[in-house]
Amino acid sequence: MATTETRNTPQNKYIYLVLLEGESVAFHKATSHDSQIKSQQKFNPESESSIAYGKRLIKSHDHLLKNTLDTGSYTKLYSFHHIINGFAVHTTQSQADKLRRVQGVSLIEKDRGVKLMTTYTPYFLGLPKGAWAQEGGEEHAGEGIVIGVIDTGINPKHPSFAYDPSKLYDNPRFWGVCDVGPKFPQGSCNGKIVSARFFSAGAAFVLPLNASKDLTPFDQVGHGSHVASIAAGNWGVPVVVNGVVYGFASGMAPQARIAVYKAIYPEGGTMTDVVYAIEQATKDGVDVMVLSIGPDEAAAEEEDETITMMSVFEILLLFVRRAGVFVAQAAGNKGPAQATVVSFSPWAFAAAAATTGRTYTSTLVLDNGSLLFGMGLSGPTHSKGKKKLKLVDAKDASKVVMVNKNETIIYSNINAEECQDPETLDPMVVKNSIVICTFSQGFLNGTSTITAIINTSILLSFAGFIFAANPNYGDFIAQPLPFSLPAIIIPSIADVKTLMEYYNNHTERDNSHNSTGKVIKFKARASIKEGRVASFNEAAPTVSSFSSRGPDILDNKLNPADVLKPDILAPGHQIWAAWSPSSSAHDPIFSSENFAMLSGTSMAAPHVAGVAALLMKAHPTWSPSMVASAICTSSLQCNNKGLPIMAHGHEAHALYPSTPFDHGAGFINPTAALDPGLVFSSAFEDYINFLCSLPKLDPSKVISVTGKACNTSHQTSTSDLNLPSITLSKLSKFKSVKRQVLNVAKYPEKYLCSIVAPQGTLVDVMPRWFTIFPQEIQVLEIQINVTNPLKLFTFGEIVLVGSLNHVVRFPLSVFPMEV
């Protein structure tokens, strides 16, 4: 993989990703028009011609570097040749500038690193009685499909990935292999896990890797195991944390196989390793790929106004789509601010995160009868929470020490409010008490942890603790965490005010002259109730506050693009899934546990990947764009209460009506997606035409990067790409947009069109009704006119209602401008 010229690593060296002109192995001598049929897009990477051509490409990379760069100035980390043609090199900026000037170099960009985009959901999505039932039950759901997970590795001993010897795996279209290493011995690939690799050439140059732990497919972080089990974990695995059973977990496609490509380590990761991992996964023949990792921002070269969809990573995903692989990508965790999505291209499928309606509520009962609600996965205090115990604010239990300053003895209270250090608290005061620990500066800057509070509590024999919001910092958003002793998190300032008023009114202090207000007697009493029982009463789905929002951006100047992002909404809030007991990356509160509850679009993406696997199993000839269309047009617009989907905003607990820039097409509906009626299909050439229509993009750049020339005789617009949505970021006067729908149902069907026009526009569709036969295509012409110019995006939808009960929805997102 890596060709080493030198191991000297001066400070001014960086990793660069370089894309070259010329076809990769997968598309060498490809036909002029790629097939829409997924199975025909597979290639055999082990054929003699593929191997020989791949060797020629690698040799050409080495020759280019040797003839261009100074001897001893670089290290080639990888040659990319399966899906794209290029390489990754570690060198100086001046040497990289030499590469920029070489004929045949299409793109060169600095590696910007990658980030992780950090059970009940199968039932919430209606899978057992819906999509699973249609595939013959959970024992067949996703059978024969391989899901590639590009992440932090996998824990092969987890029951979610256990091997069932009755379900032998034999897929002649899959060529994966298994690396071995620490905690990943021979046999770890067991039929459920069918391939496991790790890639570290990039990370080795920028991260302090531990060879005895990191150089293995084993998951040291936990994130990769979590993601893999959501997508394809075994059915009905008990979720046990701290000895408590929280239910039973299952992947979305429990019979799908898992191929693991580790490219992220406890210390972080590089785009270089991720790109090579994606190449390898596509070469191996995965059907679906889940990327719960990715760039944390758009690529940007210092001197350019960079087009987001023309980075090496995005172009790689374009060719992955061309190879017939469906890619589910996390939309990002920078919400609720606008234009924060980090999945930019129409050929990748971006998942936003939503709640599921499951909540864990814990209760603090004050001795005056007041009830305060919070969260904490813990048991109750003494006598099942019926007995009231002494309540102590940690600030009132801090040790008093003498400090000799300028020969004057003064007394100082050690700051103990965060309960981080048992040495700061008087053990006689806090023993057998419920202690109030307060969110403060340490938690704000990341130096304080809940785990430290738990350790302090155990060492000093707390009866329990309260982790309370601080009026100086405002409400905070919390998620339930498993506690080994009674505990409750109270994130609301209003509730904390009630608590502290009661506490201060029932606490006697020394208020004499020159007194520090030391407590004489603690009279406040409270108890903590059981917090480990789930309830399912909340309206769901609701878009999570952290989930990144649209509009999609065209460049690093944040100009909006005519593409809807995110694409879909899926469960991503408080998700129980597999974990790695040796994890050290997250707060060690889940250390030694086999399951963890996490939130993030990282959790939403594998839900989508699993559903895509179900669709590919049911419809093996569908292309990735057809799968994406089916998921979008069948999605739900209302929550489980029958009301429009809402979204969490900047303020804690504040909700506002969700828009397509929050939820994409809607909330994923697996059962309806199996039988969508109509689909919007796009081929590789359509994506090339889309790129050619992007403003400020030279057509010569398109052919250099993709190998395909722009059709100058056929002028297109970015909005003409046949997506299951229409987004117009700058609509002046009027625009006519075309869409084509394909009937994938078994019978002819008559469709009627209804329209909800975005505010400030008038929308018409021709024809308003049509009859379409199986495998027939219908062209729709949508005319959108500005009636009232506005200074914001407005939203609507077009709904095609079929006579055989198919309902096909696609959203409209329009910015109606003045001329």
Side-chain angles (χ1 to χ4, degrees):
M1 289 186 294
T3 300
T4 305
E5 291 288 330
T6 178
R7 289 298 295 177
N8 181 34
T9 311
Q11 290 297 312
N12 62 339
K13 282 191 174 182
Y14 307 95
I15 298 174
Y16 291 90
L17 294 158
V18 182
L19 197 61
L20 303 175
E21 294 177 1
E23 295 170 331
S24 64
V25 174
F27 307 109
H28 183 49
K29 298 180 181 178
T31 59
S32 60
H33 185 79
D34 287 348
S35 171
Q36 280 291 294
I37 306 303
K38 182 188 120 192
S39 60
Q40 293 180 5
Q41 293 178 316
K42 293 290 184 181
F43 71 102
N44 181 1
E46 301 302 325
S47 68
E48 287 186 12
S49 59
S50 293
I51 294 172
Y53 184 64
K55 288 180 177 179
R56 289 205 302 272
L57 287 179
I58 294 172
K59 187 175 180 179
S60 70
H61 301 164
D62 294 337
H63 186 264
L64 186 154
L65 286 166
K66 183 177 181 180
N67 289 348
T68 305
L69 304 186
D70 297 340
T71 302
S73 68
Y74 69 92
T75 301
K76 190 190 78 173
L77 305 181
Y78 296 109
S79 272
F80 309 126
H81 57 281
H82 303 304
I83 306 301
I84 56 174
N85 178 22
F87 53 81
V89 61
H90 186 248
T91 190
T92 63
Q93 183 172 328
S94 61
Q95 295 296 307
D97 289 339
K98 290 184 179 181
L99 285 172
R100 294 181 201 277
R101 296 189 289 269
V102 173
Q103 186 176 359
V105 172
S106 303
L107 286 176
I108 179 167
E109 61 187 47
K110 192 180 295 183
D111 190 315
R112 54 210 151 107
V114 291
K115 290 190 177 182
L116 303 174
M117 304 296 176
T118 330
T119 224
Y120 158 64
T121 49
Y123 287 85
F124 180 65
L125 293 172
L127 286 170
K129 295 182 180 180
W132 286 357
Q134 293 183 34
E135 293 202 359
E138 65 277 354
E139 64 270 22
H140 296 291
E143 194 172 37
I145 302 298
V146 180
I147 299 178
V149 182
I150 317 295
D151 215 286
T152 63
I154 198 167
N155 173 14
K157 294 183 178 180
H158 197 282
S160 289
F161 314 121
Y163 171 57
D164 183 346
S166 68
K167 295 181 172 63
L168 296 176
Y169 181 71
D170 182 19
N171 186 340
R173 294 188 297 107
F174 186 75
W175 294 276
V177 299
C178 282
D179 294 338
V180 296
K183 296 188 179 181
F184 211 89
Q186 290 283 355
S188 294
C189 288
N190 56 9
K192 178 65 173 180
I193 302 170
V194 295
S195 180
R197 306 285 298 272
F198 68 92
F199 307 96
S200 60
F205 272 92
V206 296
L207 299 173
L209 294 186
N210 184 334
S212 65
K213 293 182 178 180
D214 293 329
L215 302 186
T216 168
F218 182 78
D219 184 9
Q220 290 284 88
V221 177
H223 189 271
S225 301
H226 203 273
V227 168
S229 68
I230 293 172
N234 291 329
W235 176 77
V237 179
V239 178
V240 182
V241 177
N242 279 340
V244 178
V245 178
Y246 286 94
F248 297 87
S250 173
M252 298 296 99
Q255 293 307 320
R257 311 302 168 126
I258 299 169
V260 178
Y261 303 87
K262 178 177 176 179
I264 306 293
Y265 297 85
E267 298 80 8
T270 66
M271 182 60 74
T272 294
D273 292 332
V274 168
V275 167
Y276 196 78
I278 292 172
E279 266 243 312
Q280 188 65 51
T282 310
K283 175 193 175 186
D284 288 347
V286 302
D287 302 288
V288 178
M289 194 181 299
V290 56
L291 296 175
S292 287
I293 60 176
D296 200 42
E297 58 187 11
E301 291 297 326
E302 292 81 355
E303 68 275 9
D304 296 328
E305 187 172 304
T306 307
I307 303 295
T308 54
M309 300 165 203
M310 289 290 286
S311 71
V312 172
F313 181 70
E314 300 295 329
I315 294 299
L316 170 67
L317 295 185
L318 170 61
F319 282 94
V320 171
R321 170 67 70 96
R322 186 186 185 189
V325 180
F326 180 94
V327 177
Q329 187 179 7
N333 294 344
K334 290 189 172 183
Q338 292 186 345
T340 50
V341 289
V342 293
S343 174
F344 307 110
S345 300
W347 44 83
F349 201 68
T355 64
T356 63
R358 177 187 59 199
T359 57
Y360 293 93
T361 303
S362 187
T363 308
L364 179 69
V365 183
L366 303 181
D367 204 25
N368 64 0
S370 297
L371 303 179
L372 300 178
F373 300 103
M375 58 192 70
L377 302 176
S378 80
T381 48
H382 190 64
S383 300
K384 296 183 179 180
K386 294 178 181 179
K387 182 179 180 180
K388 303 298 185 292
L389 304 174
K390 182 174 71 174
L391 193 60
V392 175
D393 186 352
K395 292 191 291 291
D396 291 328
S398 61
K399 287 180 179 177
V400 178
V401 297
M402 292 187 299
V403 180
N404 190 329
K405 187 177 181 181
N406 298 328
E407 299 185 356
T408 301
I409 302 297
I410 62 173
Y411 293 87
S412 173
N413 282 69
I414 299 175
N415 184 5
E417 63 178 344
E418 292 186 337
C419 304
Q420 296 296 293
D421 183 358
E423 292 298 321
T424 65
L425 295 168
D426 187 333
M428 299 307 295
V429 174
V430 297
K431 185 176 182 180
N432 298 325
S433 301
I434 298 175
V435 180
I436 303 170
C437 307
T438 305
F439 181 101
S440 195
Q441 185 64 36
F443 285 97
L444 194 67
N445 61 31
T447 58
S448 297
T449 68
I450 293 284
T451 303
I453 298 180
I454 295 173
N455 293 338
T456 299
S457 302
I458 293 171
L459 285 170
L460 298 182
S461 300
F462 290 9
F465 70 83
I466 301 164
F467 182 51
N470 188 327
N472 294 328
Y473 299 101
D475 295 348
F476 63 85
I477 297 173
Q479 91 171 23
L481 296 171
F483 299 128
S484 54
L485 76 162
I488 182 172
I489 300 172
I490 301 181
S492 166
I493 293 300
D495 289 339
V496 171
K497 182 179 179 182
T498 300
L499 168 65
M500 297 313 297
E501 283 181 355
Y502 165 76
Y503 174 79
N504 289 323
N505 289 337
H506 293 77
T507 301
E508 290 186 15
R509 299 180 184 275
D510 180 1
N511 293 318
S512 60
H513 185 63
N514 292 331
S515 170
T516 59
K518 181 180 179 181
V519 174
I520 299 173
K521 194 167 187 180
F522 296 94
K523 293 183 178 181
R525 298 290 184 270
S527 64
I528 297 172
K529 293 288 191 179
E530 174 66 61
R532 297 169 294 190
V533 178
S535 62
F536 304 89
N537 300 320
E538 287 200 352
T542 300
V543 182
S544 301
S545 60
F546 58 78
S547 186
S548 287
R549 306 316 207 247
D552 190 14
I553 59 172
L554 180 64
D555 51 42
N556 53 3
K557 305 298 183 183
L558 302 184
N559 290 310
D562 288 345
V563 174
L564 179 61
K565 292 290 177 180
D567 292 275
I568 200 71
L569 185 66
H573 189 77
Q574 297 181 10
I575 304 298
W576 283 114
W579 196 242
S580 184
S582 60
S583 168
S584 59
H586 286 76
D587 193 306
I589 200 163
F590 287 111
S591 178
S592 78
E593 299 291 351
N594 257 334
F595 285 89
M597 177 191 285
L598 300 182
S599 297
T601 54
S602 274
M603 286 65 252
H607 278 92
V608 174
V611 172
L614 297 179
L615 268 63
M616 286 188 159
K617 162 69 175 175
H619 305 285
T621 62
W622 280 13
S623 69
S625 67
M626 296 166 75
V627 173
S629 173
I631 292 173
C632 287
T633 61
S634 63
S635 61
L636 300 173
Q637 311 302 304
C638 293
N639 61 26
N640 55 3
K641 308 294 184 183
L643 300 172
I645 295 173
M646 302 293 284
H648 285 285
H650 286 279
E651 301 297 325
H653 314 297
L655 296 175
Y656 64 87
S658 182
T659 75
F661 287 169
D662 304 306
H663 63 239
F667 187 69
I668 195 167
N669 183 5
T671 304
L674 282 171
D675 182 21
L678 307 174
V679 295
F680 298 74
S681 180
S682 298
F684 179 68
E685 283 73 17
D686 298 317
Y687 298 124
I688 297 300
N689 290 336
F690 168 82
L691 288 174
C692 292
S693 65
L694 290 175
K696 301 179 182 179
L697 185 57
D698 191 328
S700 64
K701 191 72 171 178
V702 175
I703 189 172
S704 175
V705 169
T706 68
K708 297 290 183 179
C710 294
N711 185 354
T712 55
S713 63
H714 180 62
Q715 189 68 31
T716 61
S717 168
T718 53
S719 58
D720 288 331
L721 183 61
N722 200 43
L723 298 173
S725 61
I726 295 175
T727 305
L728 300 174
S729 58
K730 295 179 180 179
L731 178 60
S732 177
K733 289 187 178 181
F734 67 91
K735 189 170 186 62
S736 180
V737 178
K738 289 185 178 181
R739 290 292 184 267
Q740 295 184 3
V741 290
L742 170 69
N743 185 0
V744 292
K746 296 179 180 179
Y747 305 104
E749 192 164 3
K750 182 178 180 179
Y751 282 88
L752 298 176
C753 176
S754 65
I755 302 166
V756 178
Q759 183 183 354
T761 72
L762 181 66
V763 179
D764 191 22
V765 179
M766 292 297 293
R768 279 297 186 101
W769 65 269
F770 56 90
T771 298
I772 186 169
F773 287 82
Q775 298 305 308
E776 190 174 76
I777 291 174
Q778 174 67 51
V779 177
L780 303 175
E781 186 167 345
I782 300 102
Q783 184 88 14
I784 306 176
N785 294 270
V786 175
T787 59
N788 181 26
L790 299 170
K791 295 183 178 181
L792 74 168
F793 275 96
T794 62
F795 306 95
E797 66 175 349
I798 295 173
V799 184
L800 305 176
V801 181
S803 56
L804 299 180
N805 298 321
H806 291 113
V807 178
V808 180
R809 297 176 177 271
F810 56 105
L812 307 175
S813 308
V814 179
F815 197 120
M817 303 177 64
E818 293 191 44
V819 178

